[in-house]
Amino acid sequence: MPVTLILVGVGIPTSGLLREGRRDPKTMEWVYQPIKDRGRSPNDHAASQHERRFQIVDLDPFRYTAGPEMAAWMDHLARLEGHLRLLNNTKGMLTGDDMPEYLFNRTGGVVGVLEKLIQHGCRRAIEDKSERLTKELFNQFTVTPGDMPDLDAESGEQPKIPPHKPTPGKKRPKGRNTVFDDDGPAAADERG
């Protein structure tokens, strides 16, 4: 039974599940050398269990260099934007001004890194009550491999994360303690 798995950002060729192969430049499919028969099988083309079940289709990170590639990135951001659940209107939050280029530079076009960046950003936007994703907010933190603990770095599953040095955000002034404030003569009359 053929199965199609779409594993974005997962390095199956480097995981050791498949034999060493190469990509055919004409068909863009992975080609494997025939298995050398060691007298155990009459079939010269017997493939391993994994090779018979899977065909690798690499989905590279988004690119931000040409019209169709930029359009695909913008379409992806617009769809993400439609799923944000912040109190402020989210239209243009990820797709307006130079935010698409900023997000591409921060994530390298890798969907998993973009997902973590937006998750962190939404959490911060809710905590600071701004309910808005901005470059200033995103600049306050960085995505690290620790944010993706379920991905195995040794097998190539963890994507390359562009370096970023966080900048501290503006501290909101704390509300003034009004416990010892004098409520004035009108309040004293009401108590009296």
Side-chain angles (χ1 to χ4, degrees):
M1 168 169 57
V3 175
T4 300
L5 298 176
I6 300 176
L7 304 171
V8 178
V10 177
I12 293 294
T14 58
S15 69
L17 290 174
L18 303 173
R19 288 180 294 141
E20 196 63 34
R22 65 174 177 79
R23 187 185 287 246
D24 185 327
K26 291 180 184 173
T27 64
M28 297 307 288
E29 292 184 9
W30 285 87
V31 178
Y32 300 94
Q33 297 299 323
I35 294 176
K36 294 179 181 154
D37 186 14
R38 295 188 180 124
R40 298 180 190 159
S41 170
N43 184 354
D44 291 339
H45 301 288
S48 74
Q49 289 287 324
H50 292 293
E51 290 164 0
R52 281 186 287 186
R53 290 188 176 136
F54 302 108
Q55 176 182 0
I56 295 179
V57 178
D58 280 334
L59 295 178
D60 293 329
F62 281 97
R63 302 213 188 296
Y64 199 73
T65 55
E69 294 166 343
M70 292 170 94
W73 177 248
M74 290 295 291
D75 185 48
H76 184 69
L77 292 178
R79 290 175 188 267
L80 285 174
E81 198 174 73
H83 291 283
L84 292 176
R85 297 296 175 246
L86 297 172
L87 292 178
N88 287 329
N89 181 5
T90 60
K91 188 168 177 70
M93 212 177 279
L94 301 178
T95 57
D97 299 323
D98 60 346
M99 186 62 91
E101 185 175 2
Y102 171 83
L103 291 172
F104 183 83
N105 291 333
R106 282 292 306 274
T107 64
V110 177
V111 173
V113 178
L114 176 66
E115 175 187 335
K116 291 299 178 183
L117 185 70
I118 291 174
Q119 282 176 353
H120 287 318
C122 286
R123 188 172 298 120
R124 292 257 173 117
I126 291 168
E127 288 170 356
D128 74 7
K129 297 180 179 31
S130 67
E131 298 284 333
R132 189 112 185 111
L133 298 177
T134 63
K135 289 189 289 187
E136 291 75 27
L137 181 96
F138 285 133
N139 281 335
Q140 295 175 21
F141 57 90
T142 187
V143 177
T144 66
D147 294 322
M148 298 174 246
D150 52 335
L151 300 180
D152 183 21
E154 290 179 16
S155 69
E157 288 181 346
Q158 279 190 344
K160 184 176 183 254
I161 301 170
H164 175 75
K165 185 175 181 181
T167 57
K170 295 178 186 174
K171 296 208 176 202
R172 291 185 174 244
K174 289 185 177 182
R176 199 170 61 77
N177 186 345
T178 59
V179 172
F180 296 110
D181 284 357
D182 181 14
D183 292 331
D189 291 341
E190 288 176 11
R191 282 186 249 139

